[in-house]
Amino acid sequence: MSTIASDLRVKVRLSEARGHVDAGWLKSAHSFSFANYFDRNNMNFHNLRVINDDWVAAGGGFPMHPHENFEIFSYMLEGALAHEDTMGNGSTVRKGGIQFMSTGSGVQHSEFNPTSTDETRLLQIWLIPDRKNTTPRYEMLELDDTARDGNLQLFLSHDGRDGSIRTEAAADVYSGKLNGDDTIRFELEDERAVYVHVARGEVQINGETLKDGDAIEAEGTGTLELTNGKDAEVVLFHLSPRR
């Protein structure tokens, strides 16, 4: 790790270092070990376990499959994603939307691109919960472009505050958009950590230039400063202490 601010330890993770999968109907980049991509030194960052950058072809998708004891959400970047599950939910989420499952004691679901012409792009993200075998639940949320232009919008939190979805994970997750002179500052607290994933565009974080698919890990105490955005969209995770 390199130090670019007092008491703040920061590591840059480049897009090219991710694991890549091409299954024809699905093209995916894995930020952490997942499926056929395995790196014993890259299993998770604190309680952040999965970030998969998925491109799903028209009509493609994942058939019904099980999950348990993970907090899973889809962060929509382009197109649409249809969802069905064994809790009785059936819905479609589109660009700018969040689709969330607290899988707890177990649930099955399917996800697919419902269009016949357009590709879908999403980030699928898994968090490790603090409590296991809770009652599964499902929620959706639309992100607010006004609230996140040059700012961070909290959309997932450990306590469900400010209209966010509540998660069983000790994590708060934000979305932000930056362009031009926009500046976003985030203060790190002792024993917690921050992971910032650049979902698209380009942005500088404490002087480091990051592009689509790049990320930064930060631990310690200090300020992260996001500046010089070029159509940038970021997802910021404020995470529990390392276990």
Side-chain angles (χ1 to χ4, degrees), residues 76-97:
M76 296 298 297
L77 291 168
E78 300 291 342
L81 188 71
H83 164 97
E84 294 181 359
D85 63 45
T86 51
M87 294 181 283
N89 298 298
S91 58
T92 299
V93 64
R94 292 177 170 79
K95 178 180 178 180

Side-chain angles (χ1 to χ4, degrees), residues 96-108:
I98 304 295
Q99 179 177 264
F100 169 81
M101 286 196 310
S102 181
T103 65
S105 58
V107 65
Q108 296 190 51

Side-chain angles (χ1 to χ4, degrees), residues 35-186:
N36 293 330
Y37 165 59
F38 178 74
D39 177 353
R40 68 177 65 255
N41 297 315
N42 186 33
M43 298 300 296
N44 60 285
F45 179 67
H46 293 248
N47 55 344
L48 175 58
R49 175 62 187 87
V50 170
I51 300 180
N52 291 345
D53 191 345
D54 291 341
W55 294 83
V56 183
F62 304 90
M64 197 68 72
H65 59 283
H67 291 288
E68 64 181 35
N69 290 320
F70 278 108
E71 306 290 283
I72 299 175
F73 67 92
S74 297
Y75 181 104
M76 296 298 297
L77 291 168
E78 300 291 342
L81 188 71
H83 164 97
E84 294 181 359
D85 63 45
T86 51
M87 294 181 283
N89 298 298
S91 58
T92 299
V93 64
R94 292 177 170 79
K95 178 180 178 180
I98 304 295
Q99 179 177 264
F100 169 81
M101 286 196 310
S102 181
T103 65
S105 58
V107 65
Q108 296 190 51
H109 78 135
S110 65
E111 296 172 294
F112 61 95
N113 180 346
T115 73
S116 59
T117 56
D118 299 324
E119 198 169 34
T120 289
R121 184 187 180 193
L122 66 133
L123 301 178
Q124 183 167 106
I125 296 166
W126 299 14
L127 295 162
I128 301 169
D130 273 6
R131 297 192 302 151
K132 290 188 174 182
N133 299 319
T134 56
T135 301
R137 55 190 170 84
Y138 173 82
E139 293 186 51
M140 294 175 65
L141 182 71
E142 290 294 321
L143 297 173
D144 184 341
D145 280 343
T146 300
R148 59 195 180 119
D149 279 345
N151 295 290
L152 293 173
Q153 179 189 357
L154 178 69
F155 66 87
L156 190 73
S157 69
H158 67 283
D159 55 5
R161 68 188 183 279
D162 299 332
S164 62
I165 297 171
R166 183 180 64 83
T167 174
E168 299 292 346
D172 296 327
V173 189
Y174 302 80
S175 173
K177 301 177 80 172
L178 298 93
N179 236 330
D181 295 332
D182 293 335
T183 297
I184 294 175
R185 295 180 179 88
F186 194 90

Side-chain angles (χ1 to χ4, degrees), residues 2 5 7 16 33 75 78 95 128 166 170 172 199 203 227 243:
S2 62
D7 299 320
E16 293 78 8
S33 291
Y75 181 104
E78 300 291 342
K95 178 180 178 180
I128 301 169
R166 183 180 64 83
D172 296 327
V203 65
T227 58
R243 304 179 184 193

